[in-house]
Structures are given as C-alpha cells and as structure tokens.
Amino acid sequence: MVSIIEVNDINELFQEIEKYKNQLIYILFTGTLTENDGNSSWCSDCNIADPIIHKYINKLNNIILIKCYVGDRTMWKNLDNSYRTHPRLKLKSIPTLLKWESPNERLVENECCKVDLLDILFET
C-alpha cells in the first residue's frame, strides 16, 4: 500500500520526512493548486504528470509519497525560493519526482510521464 501525504511548504515537508524516516520515501514536487477549481495546478506539466504518477504508484507497496506543493507561479519562479536553494533539493523544474534516500535519483518535467523511467526510479 502507498501512503500519500500532501504538504504545502518546506517546513511541513521536512516534518513528514522525519516522521517517516525509516520508510522508503519519494517526493513529488508540484505546482500549488489554483483557487479557481482547487483540482488543477497552475503548472500544466504538473497537471499532465500527476494522474500518470498516481496511477503508477497504485500498484506499489510499502512506500510513502509526499506530494509537496511548491507555491504559486510567482513563488516558484523566484530563484531564491527554498526548494531551489536547499542543498539536498536543488530543484530546477517541476514536476520533479525524487527518491529521498538518494535525491539525485529523480525525474523532471516530462520524464515523470514515462512509465519506463518510473520503473527505474521505483525499481519495479
């Protein structure tokens, strides 16, 4: 079974990582949902990748997926935001899906939509 946890800022993210530190953690960084409908992100690439990733992970067991909303477009585009500058994250684009125990193992943008790359990241 997969547990999906949603967080809205970097402090919440690290609290959840600490809480589940003895489990296999993956993190999906995505654009925050828009206020218009609350179901889609301002990030079109994120809207494309999200259902593909969720469908894929439904077949997995014993992992934690933390879905981390990085903020609105203005916040994300700020090159000094904490997701871009944190030494362990160093995000350059969204969506980004990474394996926490080895954060250099990551998929970015359209890579998140490719099942063969998801297989490699999740080692299935």
Side-chain angles (χ1 to χ4, degrees):
M1 182 172 162
V2 175
S3 296
I4 300 173
I5 299 145
E6 295 186 355
V7 298
N8 293 300
D9 66 47
I10 200 162
N11 294 325
E12 278 185 82
L13 172 64
F14 285 108
Q15 288 172 1
E16 294 300 325
I17 290 169
E18 180 62 26
K19 189 186 305 183
Y20 295 102
K21 65 183 174 189
N22 295 323
Q23 297 183 47
L24 188 54
I25 299 171
Y26 291 85
I27 306 168
L28 173 60
F29 295 94
T30 187
T32 298
L33 302 177
T34 63
E35 292 181 11
N36 295 342
D37 66 9
N39 292 321
S40 60
S41 167
W42 57 264
C43 170
S44 59
D45 290 340
C46 298
N47 291 328
I48 294 167
D50 192 64
I52 295 167
I53 293 167
H54 279 78
K55 181 178 178 184
Y56 184 90
I57 65 169
N58 280 333
K59 67 180 183 177
L60 302 177
N61 291 309
N62 301 320
I63 68 164
I64 303 293
L65 177 71
I66 302 174
K67 189 172 185 179
C68 183
Y69 297 104
V70 300
D72 63 19
R73 178 183 295 275
T74 303
M75 180 182 282
W76 170 248
K77 294 292 183 181
N78 179 349
L79 298 180
D80 293 325
N81 86 47
S82 53
Y83 299 105
R84 292 179 182 272
T85 60
H86 190 281
R88 183 121 187 226
L89 301 177
K90 298 180 187 171
L91 297 187
K92 293 182 177 16
S93 57
I94 55 171
T96 295
L97 177 63
L98 64 81
K99 187 176 189 178
W100 180 247
E101 67 185 22
S102 51
N104 288 331
E105 291 182 46
R106 62 178 67 196
L107 302 176
V108 297
E109 295 178 330
N110 67 342
E111 294 173 343
C112 294
C113 299
K114 297 181 179 177
V115 173
D116 58 331
L117 296 178
L118 290 168
D119 285 342
I120 293 168
L121 183 69
F122 287 102
E123 300 172 356
T124 59

